[in-house]
Every structure is written in C-alpha cells, then in structure tokens.
Amino acid sequence: MSKDMTGAEMVIQALADQGVEHLFGYPGGAVLPIYDALFHQNSIEHILVRHEQAAVHAAEGYARSSGKVGVVLVTSGPGATNAVTGLTDALMDSIPLVCITGQVPTHLIGNDAFQECDTVGITRPCTKHNYLVRDVKDLARVLHEAFYVAQNGRPGPVVVDIPKDVQFALGSYVGPENIEHKTYKPKLRGDADRIEAALDMIARARRPIFYTGGGVINAGPKASSALRDLARLTGVPVTSTLMGLGAFPAASRQWLGMLGMHGTYEANMAMHGCDLMVCIGARFDDRITGRIDAFSPESKKIHIDIDPSSINKNVKVDLPIIGDCAHVLEAMVRGWREGGRSTDGEAMDVWWRQIDRWRARNCLAYRASDTVIKPQYAIERLYAATCDKDVYISTEVGQHQMWAAQFFRFEEPNRWLTSGGLGTMGYGLPAAIGAQIAHPDALCVDIAGEASILMNMQEMSTAIQFDLPVKIFILNNRYMGMVRQWQELLHGGRYSHSYSEALPDFVKLAEAYGGVGMRCDKPGDLDAAIAEMIAVKRPVIFDCIVDQQENCFPMIPSGRAHNEMILGDMAVDLDEAITDEGKMLV
C-alpha cells in the first residue's frame, strides 16, 4: 500500500520499516530535510558523532556486534568524502552498511556547486554498490534495495546519494514487502556433489586443517555452530584469520590460534605442512599466504565462499564451493553424519602429535618483568578481569591489535571488532561506541595505542553525550609500535618519525572531555587498576605505560613463507634453529 510523503519522510519511513533503531550521523545543509524528518519521529535514535569517518566506524562496530545493518547519515561534499575511509574499511572487511549521503539539488549537479562532489564516482571503488537517486519515485525502492544488497551475499557498504530537491519532493512511498531485486540473487546453497567430494577429501586426508575467516562470522551464529560441529565430528584442527576470531572457541584443544603474519607457530606450520586445506569464508589475503609460490605447497585446497570473485583470485584451489558458509557447513555436518564417514585415526594421531610438538614451542612466551608492564601481560590481565563478563573488544591498529588477537581468547563470534583488511588507525573508539549502543549493558573496551587513539579521539564527546561507558585501554609505548618494529628489523634501526612526541596527558584529556582518566605503570598495580576501570560506569581513558622496546612475535617477514617465522627469544628451542640477532629464524 503506497502513501504520499516527501523524500525526506520516505528515508525515515524506509529505515523504520527495515527495523533500524539507531542511526550514526552528522548534519549539514544537504541533509537538513532528513534531519527535520528525524525531529518529528521517536522510533529511530540518532547518534551524533564528531566526524563522518567515525560515523561509519561506529556503524561498523554496531553491525559487527549485533548482526544488523549499520546505518550512516552524512551531508554532501566533505561529509561524504570524510566517510570514504570508513566505507573502504567496511568493504575490505565485508561489513553490511547503508550510508545515506546528501547531494546538491539535481539541477546543480556537475556545476561545482557549494559542497558538491561526485559521491557516486568517488565511492564506486569502495562500496559494494551505490545509487544516485534523481527522482523521488525511485527513492523508496532504492532504499529497500540498498538494505538487501548490503546484507545479502557477501556483505558490504552501500551508498544512497540523495539530492536535496529529491528530499523535498512529494511521491508515493512503497514498503519493503513490495520490493524484489531483479538481478542480485546470491547463491546460498553449495552444489551437493561438490560438498560430497569435499567430505570424501576430508575423510581421506592424513594432515587436514580448517582455515576459517570472517565469512563464518558474517554468515551468522548457525555458521559458527556448524563449524564447531564439523570440527568435533572430524577431529580436524582449526585456525582462523584475524577477522574470524571467535567463530571457533579458543578453549578447544582443536584450536591452533590465529594464523598469518603474527599468527602462532603451530597454526602457520600446520598450514604449511597440511595435505588438505579447507578454507571457509576467507580470501587467501597476503597477510595469510606470505609467499604465494611457497604457500602450503603439498596441500589440496577446498575453498568455501559466497563470493564467486574470491575463488582462484589469489590462490588456485582444487575444489571451489560457492555458497553461504552456514548452509554449506550445515550440509557438510549432515553429510558426514549420514554418510558414516570417519577420518584416518592412525594418520590423525600422527598429525596431532606433530601439531603438539609445534605447540610446545610456546611461541607466545615473553620475558616477564617486575618493574615494567609488558604489553602482553597487560592484555593477559585485561582478559583475566573480563573473561567472565559480557564483553566486546575493539582495537585500533598496530602492535596492540596483534597482541590483543594473540592474548585475548574469544569463545563466541561477534565479540572481536577490528580493522583487518584496511588496517585503519582510529577505528577502535568509534567501533566501541557502536557496540555499546547495540549492547548498552555490556562492557565495551577499545584496546588502543597512544598513536592510533588520537586519530578519532574527538569521539570521546559522543561517548560523554550519550552516557556510553566505553573503556579506552591504551598500551602506551610512546612509539607507533609496528612502524618502529619494522624499522628495527628491516631498516637498520632508523626510527624515522615513529616516536610519539608531544603526547597529551591522557588522564587530563579524559577529564577535559568529562570522562575518567587513569594511569598505571607498575605490574603490581595493574589488576587493581583494571578492576577500578571496569567498575566505573562512565567513559574511561586508561593510560597503561608499557615497555617501549617490546616487539610483537611470532612474525613472518614480508615475502617469506609460513615456515620462515621469526620467533621471540623466549620460545622453546625444540629443533635446530638459525639464530639471528637474538631471534630464532625457523
């Protein structure tokens, strides 16, 4: 049933009909009609950010922690261009977003009008799809299509650019029940014959491994549940990308930890030495594969992905299965049970003994200290204090991000919010705000570096305005830590512009915003300080002063293979190793 309303009113009605409860945005001239329509309703809460990039990151955190579509509203010109980094981040990490941008009136498009930019042209490379709506007759349909495209198939961001005169124009609104996308219909169910072939390959394998990614989490809780069932039935070890953490429980003996550039020794060695790799919802990106020509050279490879363009893009596979991870994994679980299959018990025992030998290297070991806080220790103590709570962890980007991935153990999906593909400094605080909006009673912590946090520190104002008790846990080593580490290892210790000079007093900065500031620099004081941070029901900046020289290991140097990892000097030497400047190159 249609109803006449203005374009601006259509936007609000479409959001309400799509079940949107929260909208992250920043007003400006080209979206004032929509903001006026917002003023006259009570069903959607608008969260005022302080920068449009942060609006998108907050919507990402909201979407990733809740499984819903994140929604953004920004103005034309600089409002839209400020959102580009967040949109690219969401595209790289497959996060479902709808970003509504204002545009100058249609008769001014192309005339270099005030606050005009070619939003569709600029965002085409960094969105899953985008629209410029020139006629109010198309607006309702486009808005509903945008939600469909954003969340179906491989999720991603969609931009809807709406000129100001279209927002004022009158037209007939059509609800989502009358909208059916005519061309975009992703394949959800994998080919049955290919699934049977995959199960046969798993049953015959002597050294199999499940390599899982963010696609398992994006496919919803059924996918994570089916992955756990399949792993339990087959006894196959499981590893994950940075984006896939939480899809499989870290407490399981079958869990090998994260793989890739800063992954565990056992995960990377198992990937290198397996004879069957089952890639589920991951894309073989360069941080995982290292040298392509030396990547898992003896394995057959199965790739399960809903995005056909990901198949054979980076690594040629032997058996592709196109479909939604939840549907395919559930079909594999049924097929394994009904087919009476089993793995080769003797071969699997040998495989697990080898994995346990790699695991015994204790690759995450670090040198403890009674006088200075080691960053790894800080994450361990944060985990110990929060593991029994309803907690969501976001991060900025750098060493602290990798230490969080290594030492914070996730048992459930959707609890880990980080910028994987784009590696966006400034992501963590707005993402924590988005998660806190979605889960008001949960504990939301941004594990940050002192450099990254300054990228979007202005969002403390948003946290204060909306009474969001987010915690910013800064591992402060006064360096852009990952930059410094690469300069030490690869550039002869020439620390070009990586030292964090002229830092603010983070305690005073927190207080200036109206939040709570805390500082800790002694290991013996850390537990009590973290407990106090958690107990405070207001935004907190926790300045944790850590060892400036600590590096993040293990590490696969750029352009090297999985079996060429640099391990920290505390790792157990079970095999012969080449010692290089105090580190073991294995």
Side-chain angles (χ1 to χ4, degrees):
M1 183 174 176
S2 63
K3 179 182 178 182
D4 286 345
M5 57 181 71
T6 67
E9 291 169 337
M10 286 185 190
V11 171
I12 303 306
Q13 187 63 54
L15 298 185
D17 286 348
Q18 290 290 340
V20 174
E21 298 177 35
H22 298 97
L23 173 64
F24 300 89
Y26 200 94
V31 285
L32 285 185
I34 299 175
Y35 271 88
D36 192 55
L38 269 172
F39 185 83
H40 293 287
Q41 58 83 50
N42 296 310
S43 63
I44 300 170
E45 181 181 10
H46 178 271
I47 308 301
L48 178 66
V49 298
R50 269 49 178 184
H51 193 283
E52 291 89 353
Q53 177 188 345
V56 185
H57 293 327
E60 286 186 272
Y62 183 91
R64 293 174 69 170
S65 66
S66 68
K68 301 176 182 178
V69 176
V71 185
V72 178
L73 175 61
V74 299
T75 195
S76 63
T81 57
N82 280 346
V84 164
T85 297
L87 292 170
T88 309
D89 190 276
L91 182 69
M92 293 284 281
D93 288 346
S94 303
I95 309 304
L97 300 181
V98 171
C99 179
I100 298 167
T101 59
Q103 184 56 274
V104 299
T106 52
H107 68 278
L108 291 179
I109 292 176
N111 289 348
D112 294 330
F114 177 68
Q115 289 194 333
E116 180 195 359
C117 72
D118 180 6
T119 299
V120 166
I122 290 170
T123 62
R124 186 172 287 120
C126 62
T127 55
K128 184 177 178 182
H129 194 58
N130 60 17
Y131 301 85
L132 171 60
V133 184
R134 291 178 174 269
D135 192 327
V136 72
K137 295 176 183 177
D138 299 322
L139 182 55
R141 172 186 58 81
V142 166
L143 288 164
H144 296 311
E145 279 190 10
F147 277 85
Y148 174 84
V149 172
Q151 61 192 316
N152 282 276
R154 180 179 179 178
V158 178
V159 162
V160 181
D161 197 32
I162 311 175
K164 194 168 184 179
D165 57 322
V166 174
Q167 298 172 40
F168 280 121
L170 280 171
S172 294
Y173 174 78
V174 179
E177 64 277 358
N178 299 312
I179 303 296
E180 181 181 356
H181 201 286
K182 294 181 174 59
T183 58
Y184 183 60
K185 296 182 179 179
K187 182 181 179 182
L188 299 180
R189 301 188 182 279
D191 182 84
D193 291 339
R194 289 175 180 255
I195 290 173
E196 285 295 307
L199 294 176
D200 288 340
M201 291 171 72
I202 294 171
R204 291 196 304 268
R206 301 180 65 83
R207 302 185 308 279
I209 189 169
F210 291 153
Y211 149 40
T212 65
V216 179
I217 293 175
N218 288 340
K222 288 184 178 180
S224 296
S225 178
L227 171 64
R228 296 168 189 223
D229 288 343
L230 186 62
R232 187 186 70 254
L233 289 168
T234 60
V236 172
V238 181
T239 183
S240 166
T241 66
L242 179 73
M243 296 302 297
L245 295 178
F248 192 78
S252 171
R253 181 183 176 274
Q254 289 176 251
W255 172 243
L256 304 187
M258 182 178 72
L259 77 154
M261 181 171 283
H262 290 286
T264 66
Y265 182 70
E266 54 267 31
N268 283 325
M269 291 300 287
M271 285 282 282
H272 183 78
C274 69
D275 68 348
L276 177 66
M277 179 187 302
V278 185
C279 175
I280 310 168
R283 56 188 174 87
F284 293 100
D285 73 280
D286 61 292
R287 287 292 172 112
I288 298 302
T289 61
R291 274 178 52 202
I292 291 289
D293 63 349
F295 174 64
S296 193
E298 298 181 4
S299 69
K300 297 286 187 181
K301 298 175 181 67
I302 300 169
H303 190 183
I304 302 168
D305 204 295
I306 198 167
D307 182 5
S309 70
S310 291
I311 303 295
N312 292 325
K313 182 168 74 173
N314 297 325
V315 170
K316 182 172 176 54
V317 299
D318 299 278
L319 179 63
I321 302 175
I322 298 172
D324 178 79
C325 286
H327 287 283
V328 174
L329 287 170
E330 287 178 335
M332 292 177 76
V333 169
R334 284 195 305 271
W336 190 270
R337 285 175 171 152
E338 293 169 2
R341 292 178 174 90
S342 63
T343 51
D344 183 332
E346 183 177 348
M348 290 295 286
D349 285 344
V350 173
W351 180 224
W352 272 110
R353 285 199 297 273
Q354 176 60 71
I355 289 171
D356 286 340
R357 181 171 174 81
W358 289 326
R359 189 178 266 157
R361 296 296 296 266
N362 195 15
C363 67
L364 297 180
Y366 59 93
R367 196 176 298 279
S369 172
D370 293 330
T371 58
V372 63
I373 298 174
K374 294 289 185 176
Q376 303 95 320
Y377 179 75
I379 301 296
E380 285 183 325
R381 300 320 301 159
L382 178 65
Y383 172 73
T386 60
C387 62
D388 61 344
K389 302 184 186 308
D390 184 18
V391 63
Y392 293 84
I393 299 294
S394 67
T395 76
E396 309 293 333
V397 169
Q399 283 179 321
H400 62 273
Q401 176 191 30
M402 295 298 105
W403 281 316
Q406 291 173 341
F407 289 92
F408 208 100
R409 300 172 65 81
F410 295 93
E411 304 299 323
E412 299 295 335
N414 304 105
R415 301 298 178 131
W416 167 245
L417 318 172
T418 196
S419 175
L422 194 61
T424 306
M425 295 173 72
Y427 171 90
L429 173 54
I433 286 172
Q436 193 77 77
I437 290 291
H439 308 277
D441 297 325
L443 173 64
C444 296
V445 183
D446 171 29
I447 298 175
E450 83 290 336
S452 267
I453 191 59
L454 294 177
M455 290 281 189
N456 272 316
M457 178 56 84
Q458 76 283 341
E459 297 312 308
M460 272 292 286
S461 288
T462 300
I464 293 293
Q465 177 178 343
F466 291 92
D467 196 24
L468 305 173
V470 296
K471 319 300 181 187
I472 304 171
F473 190 75
I474 301 174
L475 300 185
N476 187 348
N477 59 10
R478 296 194 69 88
Y479 276 100
M480 301 173 202
M482 195 60 81
V483 174
R484 183 201 60 76
Q485 177 168 334
W486 280 62
Q487 289 173 333
E488 176 184 324
L489 297 176
L490 303 175
H491 298 279
R494 295 180 291 278
Y495 302 126
S496 178
H497 300 282
S498 57
Y499 184 67
S500 296
E501 297 188 60
L503 285 174
D505 182 324
F506 286 110
V507 172
K508 291 181 179 178
L509 185 60
E511 293 169 350
Y513 275 108
V516 176
M518 301 174 62
R519 180 175 293 113
C520 184
D521 60 3
K522 294 181 175 60
D525 297 338
L526 190 56
D527 283 354
I530 290 174
E532 182 181 351
M533 176 191 76
I534 294 170
V536 173
K537 301 306 180 186
R538 294 165 60 198
V540 176
I541 298 178
F542 187 109
D543 190 13
C544 186
I545 310 300
V546 300
D547 189 340
Q548 291 188 0
Q549 302 304 316
E550 194 74 9
N551 284 332
C552 184
F553 293 112
M555 175 182 174
I556 303 175
S558 181
R560 305 295 282 272
H562 279 84
N563 62 336
E564 299 177 296
M565 299 185 73
I566 300 175
L567 301 185
D569 57 10
M570 292 301 290
V572 177
D573 186 4
L574 297 179
D575 305 300
E576 290 185 3
I578 302 171
T579 301
D580 178 23
E581 296 183 357
K583 308 295 186 291
M584 292 187 294
L585 186 61
V586 181

